[in-house]
Amino acid sequence: MNPKVLLTSKEIDIILHRLACQLVENHLDFSQTLLIGIQPRGRFLAERIKHILESEYQIADLSLGFLDITFFRDDFRRNQKPLEANKTQIDFLVEDKKVVFIDDVLYTGRSIRAALTAIQSFGRPKQIELLVLIDRRFSRNLPIQPDYRGRQVDAFNNESVKVQWSEQSAQDCVYLESQDN
């Protein structure tokens, strides 16, 4: 079965602009707000959101970091193959700041739980919000919901949502793929 396209490049662009507008509405002054992309897949989304905020809304001095959660996951020892960690790049304190976690797909909530644990190494945030491109709302193992969502997708457990960014592949695209192949 061929993958089903959920979002085209143009639709992704529209959604990213909407998400950026929602951030502006809720944060206005970003001096106390930090954007943190969850490695590896949240990195591209976080960079795009930052670019839109800077170029279209003239928000200067945005703090953007990237958080590796590999060894904070509750399932990291269960994998058959060794895990490859990404690099955490946070060169600021999160103490008493508003943190916006950014990730591509919210599925079970386990990655976000790991991010909540990992961020404590950098201080205690005043508030944490979650921005995701895709929300697989009926697949949660943990009671975690996004504050900002691009699109809700209802998928069966034998289906996976794949996000492709032009930085990694030919074009931006989100598709649904059956794992029964």
Side-chain angles (χ1 to χ4, degrees):
M1 180 174 149
N2 289 333
K4 175 185 174 187
V5 175
L6 296 176
L7 295 173
T8 64
S9 178
K10 182 174 179 83
E11 291 168 321
I12 290 171
D13 190 54
I14 291 168
I15 287 170
L16 295 182
H17 282 80
R18 178 174 48 80
L19 291 169
C21 283
Q22 290 173 346
L23 284 172
V24 170
E25 288 173 2
N26 290 333
H27 292 270
L28 291 177
D29 173 17
F30 281 77
S31 64
Q32 297 299 306
T33 302
L34 311 170
L35 304 178
I36 298 182
I38 297 175
Q39 292 275 37
R41 297 178 315 269
R43 178 183 192 105
F44 301 113
L45 178 56
E47 289 172 335
R48 298 271 188 99
I49 293 291
K50 180 181 188 233
H51 175 74
I52 292 169
L53 291 171
E54 289 175 335
S55 64
E56 297 188 22
Y57 298 99
Q58 289 69 50
I59 297 170
D61 302 320
L62 271 170
S63 295
L64 173 63
F66 307 106
L67 182 64
D68 178 48
I69 59 166
T70 303
F71 299 110
F72 292 92
R73 292 185 56 92
D74 60 2
D75 59 355
F76 85 92
R77 287 188 174 99
R78 296 179 184 202
N79 289 334
Q80 299 296 331
K81 59 182 181 174
L83 294 176
E84 293 182 32
N86 294 283
K87 186 175 180 183
T88 291
Q89 297 172 313
I90 296 179
D91 58 356
F92 43 78
L93 294 175
V94 302
E95 191 72 32
D96 289 326
K97 302 286 187 178
K98 295 178 184 176
V99 170
V100 180
F101 282 147
I102 300 176
D103 206 2
D104 63 346
V105 178
L106 175 57
Y107 182 32
T108 63
R110 292 187 185 286
S111 293
I112 305 308
R113 191 219 43 86
L116 290 167
T117 302
I119 199 66
Q120 297 301 314
S121 300
F122 297 91
R124 183 177 180 202
K126 180 177 184 177
Q127 176 183 351
I128 298 177
E129 295 179 329
L130 175 60
L131 180 149
V132 297
L133 180 63
I134 302 293
D135 175 12
R136 288 187 62 169
R137 64 181 171 161
F138 294 131
S139 305
R140 294 292 183 279
N141 296 135
L142 300 169
I144 293 174
Q145 300 300 320
D147 298 284
Y148 311 94
R149 75 172 52 90
R151 175 78 47 94
Q152 278 187 332
V153 173
D154 299 331
F156 296 108
N157 286 334
N158 66 336
E159 296 174 319
S160 61
V161 175
K162 301 290 183 186
V163 178
Q164 289 184 341
W165 298 106
S166 60
E167 291 89 343
Q168 294 178 302
S169 61
Q171 64 179 357
D172 293 341
C173 184
V174 178
Y175 59 93
L176 185 66
E177 179 177 81
S178 176
Q179 296 181 14
D180 291 336
N181 297 342

